[in-house]
Amino acid sequence: MFSAADSSVRSSLAWFTLLAAAAILAPCGWAQESSKHASGPANPSELRVLDTSLIDKSIDPCENFYRFSCNGWFKRNPLPPDQTAYGRFTELYELNRLHLKQILEAAATSHPDSRNPNEQKIGDEYASCMDTAAINKLGLKPLQPELDRIAALESINDLPVELAHLHQTGVNAFFGMGSNQDFADASQVIGFYGGGGLGLPERDYYTRTDAKSVEQRKQYVDHVHKMFVLAGEPDAQAAKDADTVLALETRLAKASLTVTEQRDPQNLNHPTDVASFQKELPHFKLADYVGALHAPAAGKINDMEPKFFAEFNAILAVAPLDQVKTYLRWHLLHAYAGTSLPDSFDQENWNFYAHTLNGAEKQQERWKRCTSRIDHEMGEALGQVYVEKYFPPEDKVRALNMTVAIEQAMAKDIDSLEWMSADTKVKAKEKLHTVMNKIGYPDKWRDYSKLEILRGDALGNQERARAFEFARDLAKIGKPVDKAEWQMSPPTVNAYYDPQQNNVNFPAGYFQPPFFSDKEDDAANYGDMGSTIGHELTHGFDDEGRQFDKDGNLNDWWTKDDGQKFTDRAQCMVKQYDAIEAVPGVHLNGKLTLGENLADLGGLWLAWLAWLDKADVAHLDMNAKTDGYTPDQRFWVAYAQQWCTQTRPEQLRTQAQTNPHAPDEYRTNSVLQDLPEFAKSFNCKKDAKMVSATPCRIW
């Protein structure tokens, strides 16, 4: 991915789709929860792909190009109190969210007879989400049937059916189950089972022994304690139950794959079948679980984490039923603690996850969170209206033309590689030429006709929306893959590459200033959006993507010698990013960020090559200056300015420990340090900080 998002909910295998797909930001989380100021988004007329007024000429570009390019933006954009991070992506995200708000308000207030079915659903869901008075008045009453189901469990034998019900409604308890393409045959969809059930961001939060991590675990227990009290438990019992949750989750965490291990598809590939998997879980009636989900009772599946499921089975053998109920109760409360439960739950949830872990100082305005919720629940119903208003056909043509230009540059680049053999080059170009380009929005819109949305039922709507999506996902099992399907909604400010489908996906919401504009020159557009397109293409050939062939199968198509050369060259980038201290005492994880770092460097290089081709055809005068900068300098500045971002130290810490994307300053400076072409453009000396003595390079 290219994102700043976060695949945090592992209660269904939708999280795996985004894990396998590489995005420009980070799957929808920290950066996508930002806004320009608490008062609203940027004026669209102020958003520029390249804005030389943001440049700080007091900074030597050869010493810190990020600060040279972005200091002016930082001065104009202090980090607002309701944000953990705010950057150029957030500027556009907030503008798009304002557009979505206008669509939703119109749908919510229009006469019922004038609305089509999708407008009824998005309008009534938005109105229900915004009605805090009704939500507060109802209290926990809408959730009581679910709490009663958990309380009614009489033995561990009852767990499979209840767990199936909870998973259908988005509760992240114990493990996740869903559909995904078969690693061995990407044309088919099978069932996938993966680890889950953690309330902290990832498994190492439970195991690290440094003082900060110990403190965060205590804060987490305190948060769970408070949530149980809000749900009506006596204080002493709530404290005991919070300790139970931590103890059980710690066992699950220790058996889980690390975030780094999850990046290697080989670690996730353990094909089996339903009958054999059942034998591995003697204390869990898999047939009851599968039957309650109406999922296939036989056939091939993938057990992504055998060690995790062995521990899950061991827990069920000894855990008292009351402790299991406590754990389920917590994850039920956690799953609905945002915009569906009263303000007290909403505020406490924000306090721990946004404030304590990531440093936000203020809760976001309600309309922003409700708008994002509808985009998540019914993204294509909302996106269909968005596209009609904000993504004209000519924008799609421009986006496709640039994508094709970058692909042509990549073909030439593959031919020029000295370290790759002719045999592997042939296979690499076959894969490149098979890439499917998806621009803007789906050719066929998703059908929400079976989803019931009732005005005034905020929690029930969320339950039904989650169940609808879960059922839609499971219905894919046993069927050929639908490569036309999208994993992001059209208004999303992000992009991704899917290695199992071998396609690049660029939502409509991304192709706007400050990333792309028909009013800008090619230097700016290729430095910015061109590098994004190159980034996604490079993901097909990064340390993860290169393991999949042109058809999306997990298949080693490299010669042994070329594979080793790739690994050796990639190790250069692992060391480069391992050395970066994001916050005092916390370094980046070079292995975790390797795929995104490779894509950043390779993508910018491809954009550079494609732009040079365009400049050559246009006979561009490379010495002519616009606003004081030559065309090549404008290319590099446009690249850097897309990453201008204010980030809180708490968020940087979380990002360094959990996110496959390096912080934005290093996505700028570290990449440019590896490109001699950049140093030449700004006449940087060999000993300058922006010039690496041992530059890394693969593509």
Side-chain angles (χ1 to χ4, degrees), residues 35-41 365 367-368:
S35 71
K36 178 167 175 60
H37 296 290
S39 58
E365 295 171 83
W367 73 263
K368 293 182 178 182

Side-chain angles (χ1 to χ4, degrees), residues 419-431:
W419 60 271
M420 182 180 283
S421 70
D423 289 344
T424 303
K425 285 181 180 180
V426 169
K427 296 289 183 62
K429 290 179 70 174
E430 285 179 355
K431 180 173 183 177

Side-chain angles (χ1 to χ4, degrees), residues 421-497:
S421 70
D423 289 344
T424 303
K425 285 181 180 180
V426 169
K427 296 289 183 62
K429 290 179 70 174
E430 285 179 355
K431 180 173 183 177
L432 172 63
H433 294 321
T434 312
V435 170
M436 177 181 176
N437 299 320
K438 292 160 63 179
I439 308 291
Y441 49 88
D443 293 330
K444 181 180 180 182
W445 294 101
R446 193 162 296 171
D447 179 6
Y448 294 95
S449 59
K450 293 183 179 180
L451 172 59
E452 183 182 30
I453 297 296
L454 301 176
R455 201 176 187 97
D457 189 12
L459 190 142
N461 289 338
Q462 191 165 43
E463 279 187 305
R464 289 186 291 274
R466 289 171 172 177
F468 169 83
E469 179 56 29
F470 195 95
R472 192 187 70 82
D473 180 62
L474 289 196
K476 302 175 191 177
I477 296 175
K479 298 176 182 177
V481 66
D482 179 8
K483 289 190 175 184
E485 182 183 11
W486 284 66
Q487 302 300 332
M488 289 179 177
S489 70
T492 302
V493 185
N494 208 336
Y496 68 98
Y497 169 81

